[in-house]
Amino acid sequence: WADPLSLDLIESLVTDTENGSLLFIGCYRDNEVDEGHPLATKLRSIEKRQVQITNIYVGDLNKEDTNELIADLIQSPPNLTQSLSNAVYLKTSGNVLYILQFLSSIYAEGYLRFSLETKQWQWDTLMINSKNIATNAMELSSHKILRLPKQTQNALKLIACLGYCCEEFVIYSMTAGNDTGNIGCVDLIASLEIAVAEGLIGHMGSCYKFAHDQIQLAAYSLIPKKHRACVHLWIGNQVWANKSASPEKALFIAVGQLNKGAEAMKDEHERIELAGLNLLAAQKSKSLAAFFAGCILPQYRHKSVGQDFLGRSI
């Protein structure tokens, strides 16, 4: 999730010789970072400046660790959970996200249940062994989302359009006015709380965050491609129309959404207005750059996008 500017900031912090009390911990998927990736290039640059980097490979769990995890989750002695963990390991190969989602799935389907009579967890090994599992984390998350109430599904789709996290003021902006019929969700907050209870998203302070990026991608994938631009356009218009709670944040969020929804714009005046908003965002980025020297990428991006829209309109 780190953009080039964030990587530059990290390098500046960890190579500061006057700061001897900083421990920086980061993580990434090695299958997504090759030798030419900006992160790999930045790490080599940091190492050349005599900064010690310790690499810790975190792989999937083995059978023993899977059993320990499951025993801890259901608060049962490890020697009693072996048959359950063997069945789960066979389906998940020790992938932690798969394990947690698979356990949630078999619990929802009644194959894993708590007996009030024996005060112990019970499971149906035969049914668990016969259960199909998704081929990837995004598919697994999609299946879980589709088991939720329709309004909660729609709420997750909406905030997935905004990325990994979403602040409450944005949610209130989307539900303001008389145009809420388009979102297929009467009460966004109440619907999202159901997703929180299911562990798909977290609610910390005034922010909702997806528990995993694959869950966010899964929710977004449930929006048909031909409808995505319209959804982004609707969100952008709602956020900008109800920006009073946080005008500065609303500007950048609205512009980002409207840019993604631009292909759904049918009115030339909308495109001209969007070009103006991009210019405003570029100017705001430039003023904020005083706090971080060299922060020219956002303002350049908004300026170039605005010029592009003006070009289409002329």
Side-chain angles (χ1 to χ4, degrees):
W1 297 95
D3 58 21
L5 289 175
S6 298
L7 292 176
D8 288 342
L9 175 60
I10 292 170
E11 181 180 24
S12 177
L13 290 172
V14 301
T15 57
D16 183 358
T17 56
E18 295 183 4
N19 189 353
S21 304
L22 174 67
L23 172 64
F24 183 86
I25 301 175
C27 63
Y28 65 93
R29 298 189 181 103
D30 56 1
N31 64 317
E32 297 179 3
V33 177
D34 56 23
E35 288 298 310
H37 192 278
L39 175 59
T41 302
K42 188 63 66 178
L43 289 175
R44 289 194 296 270
S45 173
I46 292 172
E47 285 183 314
K48 287 179 181 178
R49 298 178 67 175
Q50 307 304 309
V51 175
Q52 180 181 352
I53 296 178
T54 302
N55 294 299
I56 302 174
Y57 175 74
V58 181
D60 295 331
L61 301 182
N62 57 34
K63 280 189 177 182
E64 291 72 22
D65 292 335
T66 300
N67 188 44
E68 289 287 341
L69 173 64
I70 292 175
D72 184 63
L73 286 171
I74 65 175
Q75 293 294 288
S76 300
N79 62 305
L80 298 181
T81 58
Q82 198 67 58
S83 62
L84 173 60
S85 64
N86 284 342
V88 172
Y89 185 83
L90 185 66
K91 295 292 182 179
T92 64
S93 300
N95 182 295
V96 177
L97 177 62
Y98 277 35
I99 291 171
L100 297 177
Q101 296 281 27
F102 189 70
L103 287 172
S104 176
S105 173
I106 61 176
Y107 173 75
E109 295 177 29
Y111 304 152
L112 173 64
R113 58 195 174 275
F114 186 77
S115 171
L116 295 176
E117 295 180 1
T118 64
K119 301 295 189 295
Q120 290 182 322
W121 284 92
Q122 299 177 344
W123 49 88
D124 189 330
T125 306
L126 288 177
M127 291 304 296
I128 293 173
N129 285 332
S130 66
K131 181 176 169 58
N132 292 325
I133 188 169
T135 56
N136 56 59
M138 194 168 82
E139 185 182 347
L140 189 64
S141 299
S142 297
H143 290 167
K144 184 169 183 177
I145 293 171
L146 290 172
R147 291 199 299 269
L148 297 173
K150 193 68 176 178
Q151 290 202 25
T152 301
Q153 294 180 36
N154 291 334
L156 287 172
K157 292 175 190 177
L158 274 177
I159 67 167
C161 291
L162 292 150
Y164 179 64
C165 62
C166 176
E167 293 189 55
E168 281 184 353
F169 89 88
V170 179
I171 296 173
Y172 290 123
S173 297
M174 287 192 286
T175 56
N178 300 316
D179 198 24
T180 55
N182 290 338
I183 63 178
C185 184
V186 176
D187 191 334
L188 261 178
I189 296 292
S191 297
L192 289 175
E193 287 301 323
I194 294 175
V196 171
E198 291 292 326
L200 291 170
I201 57 175
H203 187 192
M204 291 160 282
S206 62
C207 188
Y208 286 90
K209 290 185 178 181
F210 282 93
H212 196 281
D213 64 325
Q214 292 296 312
I215 298 175
Q216 183 259 327
L217 292 173
Y220 189 72
S221 72
L222 294 175
I223 305 173
K225 288 184 178 180
K226 62 181 180 181
H227 295 153
R228 290 175 188 172
C230 292
V231 178
H232 284 296
L233 181 61
W234 182 85
I235 292 174
N237 284 327
Q238 283 292 105
V239 171
W240 188 238
N242 302 284
K243 58 183 178 293
S244 58
S246 185
E248 191 171 279
K249 287 183 179 179
L251 171 63
F252 292 106
I253 293 172
V255 168
Q257 292 297 306
L258 292 171
N259 286 343
K260 290 179 180 179
E263 65 182 73
M265 289 182 174
K266 300 178 181 178
D267 191 334
E268 182 179 330
H269 294 291
E270 282 185 288
R271 292 186 177 276
I272 294 174
E273 183 178 354
L274 178 53
L277 286 176
N278 273 280
L279 177 59
L280 182 60
Q283 292 170 338
K284 182 62 69 174
S285 293
K286 186 176 180 180
S287 66
L288 292 174
F291 296 98
F292 184 36
C295 184
I296 60 172
L297 184 60
Q299 56 179 297
Y300 174 78
R301 180 177 66 246
H302 291 304
K303 183 180 179 182
S304 63
V305 171
Q307 289 173 333
D308 183 49
F309 284 123
L310 284 174
R312 295 184 205 173
S313 300
I314 295 174

